[in-house]
Amino acid sequence: MYTSEVESAELVRMDKPAPRDWAQMDKSGVKETFDSIADYYDHMNRVMTMGRHRHWCKEVARRAVVPLGGSLLDIATGTGEIALAARCLYPHAAITAADFSESMLAAAAARASADRISWQVADANSLPFADESFDSVTSGYLLRNVDDVYRVLAEQFRVLKPGGNLVVLETCPPTGPLSPLVTLGVRLAIPMLGQAIAHDRESYKYLRDSTLAFIPPEKVAGIARRAGFQNVRWRRKFLGTNMILWARRPA
């Protein structure tokens, strides 16, 4: 169901410090983690979300609402699930998909219809695009992996055209009466699946810890407003462990 919007526009910070084993990992360490799991990324996402991940990516693309002949930037594209969904929905749009992991981009570029997308290595903290370049900006599982959520959202605001749409797919800490049980499931299941499928327990321990320590949707919404976005809304998914957030740059 829809959640109400947060009225405060103050700078929002995490309530609790992130676990030491990933909070101090530098950008090169995060990149190395994602490079190492590129071959298993899609399969793991399908297993961990019981097949819902692809549907969420399609919803993100649909909410991007790219105009005829318009342009979309997908940041932290990974293996390109959102970008490829947008390619199907908006066949006449110019779609650019960016990631800082060359291994992820290589896996994405090998997929069907990938030749109709511009793939580019880029850092979400400092995007290599001019101001007001895109009609829509999307991202998947980006914000929990950056040091400064405000800076990254401000960069997305900068490259969006006035009236452009922002859509974010992200994990979030579970809430509600079942949250202790769901949290326990996340703590146990993600590293176990990482070991069983990718033979990489450590990388998925990082993904588990960054998921559980990330801020809730209402705080992401508050940061988005501070970055300049309006009409910020969100919807939780999958027992509250994922969310889709959408907003607009004022015209």
Side-chain angles (χ1 to χ4, degrees):
M1 60 184 297
Y2 288 97
T3 18
S4 60
E5 297 186 6
V6 178
E7 297 299 330
S8 172
E10 296 178 353
L11 176 62
V12 184
R13 300 176 180 175
M14 292 187 183
D15 289 329
K16 296 181 289 186
R20 182 180 178 88
D21 60 346
W22 73 271
Q24 296 183 355
M25 186 184 293
D26 62 16
K27 185 163 60 177
S28 63
V30 176
K31 178 181 179 299
E32 192 174 297
T33 294
F34 281 93
D35 281 340
S36 72
I37 63 175
D39 291 342
Y40 306 96
Y41 188 71
D42 287 334
H43 185 46
M44 279 292 295
N45 279 339
R46 285 194 295 271
V47 172
M48 289 190 298
T49 65
M50 298 182 182
R52 301 305 301 167
H53 176 256
R54 181 164 292 181
H55 296 281
W56 300 338
C57 291
K58 290 179 179 178
E59 181 178 342
V60 169
R62 177 173 56 81
R63 290 189 181 279
V65 194
V66 183
L68 183 66
S71 57
L72 177 143
L73 171 64
D74 183 43
I75 310 172
T77 193
T79 55
E81 197 71 54
I82 293 173
L84 290 165
R87 177 79 285 159
C88 292
L89 281 175
Y90 312 109
H92 302 294
I95 296 177
T96 301
D99 203 288
F100 74 159
S101 168
E102 293 92 341
S103 296
M104 286 287 189
L105 288 173
R111 299 180 64 176
S113 299
D115 57 334
R116 300 173 60 209
I117 296 172
S118 175
W119 306 97
Q120 184 165 343
V121 176
D123 184 346
N125 293 283
S126 183
L127 295 171
F129 308 108
D131 296 356
E132 302 180 6
S133 296
F134 299 95
D135 294 287
S136 304
V137 173
T138 58
S139 67
Y141 305 124
L142 164 67
L143 298 181
R144 66 188 169 88
N145 293 300
V146 303
D147 293 328
D148 189 339
V149 174
Y150 171 79
R151 176 179 174 178
V152 169
L153 288 176
E155 269 293 275
Q156 295 177 40
F157 184 93
R158 179 184 67 79
V159 302
L160 265 175
K161 296 177 182 178
N165 295 310
L166 170 78
V167 192
V168 172
L169 172 63
E170 190 52 85
T171 57
C172 54
T175 60
L178 294 178
S179 61
L181 184 60
V182 174
T183 298
L184 178 62
V186 170
R187 288 190 182 282
L188 296 177
I190 293 180
M192 288 175 60
L193 288 170
Q195 180 62 40
I197 295 174
H199 309 294
D200 186 351
R201 188 180 186 90
E202 290 305 310
S203 292
Y204 282 92
K205 282 173 64 178
Y206 160 75
L207 296 177
R208 173 201 65 190
D209 293 344
S210 60
T211 294
L212 292 175
F214 191 56
I215 55 180
E218 56 268 26
K219 292 196 173 183
V220 179
I223 298 173
R225 290 192 189 87
R226 186 174 183 272
F229 289 101
Q230 295 181 350
N231 303 323
V232 184
R233 306 292 296 276
W234 68 88
R235 177 176 286 175
R236 284 182 176 265
K237 304 284 186 179
F238 205 57
L239 298 175
T241 59
N242 285 255
M243 66 169 171
I244 295 176
L245 178 145
W246 60 99
R248 176 169 293 184
R249 173 172 172 164

